[in-house]
Amino acid sequence: QVQLAESGGGSVQSGGSLRLSCTYTRSVYCMAWFRQAPGKEREGVGYITSVGTSRYTDYIKGRFTISRDNAKNTLYLQMNGLKPEDTAMYYCAANYIDRCSHSPESFPSWGQGTQVTVSS
């Protein structure tokens, strides 16, 4: 079972940027970022395949970028143009097969999350 650990969360003002990182303990295939705001369901942010193809959900497209460095076993989420509605706990997730999805049910392994708070 892979272990995932997120870092890089914090508090920023609207329009600001943050870069989240997620380290993993063994090679995995599809990796994704999800987020969950208080009182809301967990929702997909985007994913990246083992060969580096990324896809994003419509509400963050153009503002966030997912990348991965397999040599460093690290996944990244660069977030620009942050809005108050981006405030949430952000989680990375991993799959052992190269099947990517925006659905949380597709991912068996999860990190503990890192909090992002955006103030207006």
Side-chain angles (χ1 to χ4, degrees), residues 22-94:
C22 171
T23 57
Y24 44 97
T25 55
R26 50 156 282 192
S27 61
V28 289
Y29 288 96
C30 188
M31 298 198 74
W33 288 98
F34 291 84
R35 67 185 186 184
Q36 188 167 19
K40 295 188 177 181
E41 293 187 352
R42 191 167 297 190
E43 63 182 13
V45 172
Y47 60 73
I48 186 166
T49 68
S50 58
V51 295
T53 301
S54 56
R55 294 287 185 269
Y56 304 92
T57 49
D58 288 343
Y59 40 83
I60 61 93
K61 194 176 296 184
R63 298 190 295 125
F64 295 3
T65 303
I66 296 174
S67 60
R68 64 192 293 177
D69 185 337
N70 291 329
K72 296 182 178 180
N73 280 11
T74 304
L75 174 73
Y76 301 100
L77 178 64
Q78 178 67 45
M79 304 186 292
N80 299 326
L82 283 162
K83 305 175 182 180
E85 51 264 44
D86 295 318
T87 294
M89 185 72 79
Y90 283 71
Y91 299 88
C92 65

